[in-house]
Amino acid sequence: MQAFHSDNFSLTLPPGHTFPASKYRMLRDQLPGVAGPWRVQEAQAATEGELALAHTPDYIEAVLQGHLTAAQQREIGFPWSPMMAERSRRSVGATIAAARAALQEGVAANLAGGTHHACADRGSGYCVFNDVAVTARLMQAEWHRSHRQLLRVLVIDLDVHQGNGTASIFRDDTTVFTLSLHGAKNFPFRKEPSDLDVELPDGCTDEPYLQALDTALEQVWARLAATPPGLVFYLAGADPHEGDRLGRLKLTTAGMRERDRRVLEALRARRLPVALSMAGGYGRELQTTVDVQLNTLREAASSWQLWQRWQAETQSSP
């Protein structure tokens, strides 16, 4: 299974900053212990033209040339630096690479990504560029060029925070369906309407969460029955976990893994290729977040292996 990273490009953050920058290298370092054959590669940077598929030229220029105002930097949550700009481009590039791989092999992953608070003209909440929005539009363009067909996209956002940036970018786009399952009282406090939003109360535990997920997926399949997607982005945030500092939900490690299993099983049953992004995770113990995300990747690797078996059987059939 292919996985892409951008953790060689680190952020310069002040002491005590809440963003868990070291999580990404920890995840990649521990990935070899996860069952399954892995092909881990450093991502290329997204180009300015690719970023412009979802972001305004003025905002792209401000990020890449270091012209962000102090207020813009505060909203993003990072001070600007050349490394911050390059890391942001590489994080988008990792999702682009994962989506291309998923369309070929069924499942692939970005070991970071899920920057769903970034809007067309601004960043927010530790999100500079919206990797899923850029990639969705790029994959649609590439698919149309090679197949002369429309590629419909589904975004399943299970980060604990609502995907307001993604929702705003695709607000009037009927070719992209956005689902967000998130904490009702958590950031962002002004939410943008997704195609389907499911709000959860503080303290939500495994059983009601999984019931809400099942119900939401049933609604998605019903609403998309006549226009099924050809590519799915799954934001597998670790922050609904009970050990998360910012999540305010109470899912156990087992509940988180069951969440991932149900999503990936539903997609595989419908033969829908999926590109995963790890999205948020702010564990009181950072290793707890890494362990949750390693379980996500275990489930993804299992799904990838089943995809390879199915593809081999399909190719060998007369």
Side-chain angles (χ1 to χ4, degrees), residues 195-209:
D195 290 299
L196 178 58
D197 284 300
V198 179
E199 296 194 324
L200 302 166
D202 286 0
C204 183
T205 55
D206 290 355
E207 184 175 354
Y209 183 99

Side-chain angles (χ1 to χ4, degrees), residues 263-283:
V263 170
L264 291 165
E265 183 180 71
L267 299 180
R268 191 175 63 252
R270 291 164 177 80
R271 300 291 186 259
L272 298 179
V274 55
L276 290 86
S277 296
M278 294 299 98
Y282 310 89

Side-chain angles (χ1 to χ4, degrees), residues 6 73 90 104 108 143 152 165 228 311-312:
S6 54
Q73 292 177 62
R90 298 269 180 162
Q104 293 293 321
W143 190 264
R152 295 185 179 275
Q311 288 178 327

Side-chain angles (χ1 to χ4, degrees), residues 80-131:
W80 185 88
S81 68
M83 195 69 81
M84 174 267 218
E86 183 66 14
R87 177 188 181 275
S88 302
R89 292 177 64 194
R90 298 269 180 162
S91 184
V92 176
T95 297
I96 291 171
R100 286 174 176 150
L103 286 168
Q104 293 293 321
E105 301 181 5
V107 187
N110 178 355
L111 298 182
T115 46
H116 60 168
H117 299 311
C119 299
D121 60 351
R122 69 186 189 278
S124 178
Y126 304 149
C127 302
V128 180
F129 297 125
N130 193 308
D131 61 313

Side-chain angles (χ1 to χ4, degrees), residues 219-292:
Q219 291 182 49
V220 169
W221 308 137
R223 290 173 63 175
L224 298 182
T227 55
L231 175 63
V232 179
F233 293 93
Y234 175 31
L235 281 68
D239 40 14
H241 188 264
E242 61 189 350
D244 197 87
R245 287 178 294 138
L246 305 182
R248 299 167 65 167
L249 303 189
K250 296 294 182 182
L251 272 70
T252 65
T253 299
M256 294 290 292
R257 186 163 184 175
E258 177 63 16
R259 173 201 73 170
D260 296 331
R261 187 196 67 77
R262 291 189 188 193
V263 170
L264 291 165
E265 183 180 71
L267 299 180
R268 191 175 63 252
R270 291 164 177 80
R271 300 291 186 259
L272 298 179
V274 55
L276 290 86
S277 296
M278 294 299 98
Y282 310 89
R284 297 181 185 91
E285 298 292 335
L286 198 51
Q287 185 60 50
T288 301
T289 294
V290 173
D291 288 341
V292 169

Side-chain angles (χ1 to χ4, degrees), residues 1 26-38 40 111 257 290-302 305:
M1 176 177 157
M26 291 172 63
L27 182 62
R28 178 161 66 95
D29 287 346
Q30 295 177 39
L31 187 59
V34 175
W38 291 99
V40 180
L111 298 182
R257 186 163 184 175
V290 173
D291 288 341
V292 169
Q293 294 185 329
L294 288 170
N295 278 340
T296 297
L297 293 166
R298 286 186 178 94
E299 292 298 325
S302 296
Q305 289 173 328

Side-chain angles (χ1 to χ4, degrees), residues 19-80:
F19 185 73
S22 61
K23 171 186 74 172
Y24 304 99
R25 178 59 65 87
M26 291 172 63
L27 182 62
R28 178 161 66 95
D29 287 346
Q30 295 177 39
L31 187 59
V34 175
W38 291 99
R39 289 168 286 166
V40 180
Q41 305 168 57
E42 182 175 273
Q44 298 297 309
T47 68
E48 290 185 47
E50 290 166 346
L51 296 173
L53 293 170
H55 294 286
T56 62
D58 286 349
Y59 177 61
I60 296 168
E61 191 270 343
V63 173
L64 300 188
Q65 301 302 321
H67 299 159
L68 291 170
T69 66
Q72 288 175 312
Q73 292 177 62
R74 283 195 299 272
E75 186 173 2
I76 290 170
F78 301 144
W80 185 88

Side-chain angles (χ1 to χ4, degrees), residues 169-183:
I169 290 170
F170 293 123
R171 181 186 297 116
D172 300 316
D173 189 339
T174 59
T175 70
V176 179
F177 189 99
T178 53
L179 163 65
S180 181
L181 197 76
H182 54 265

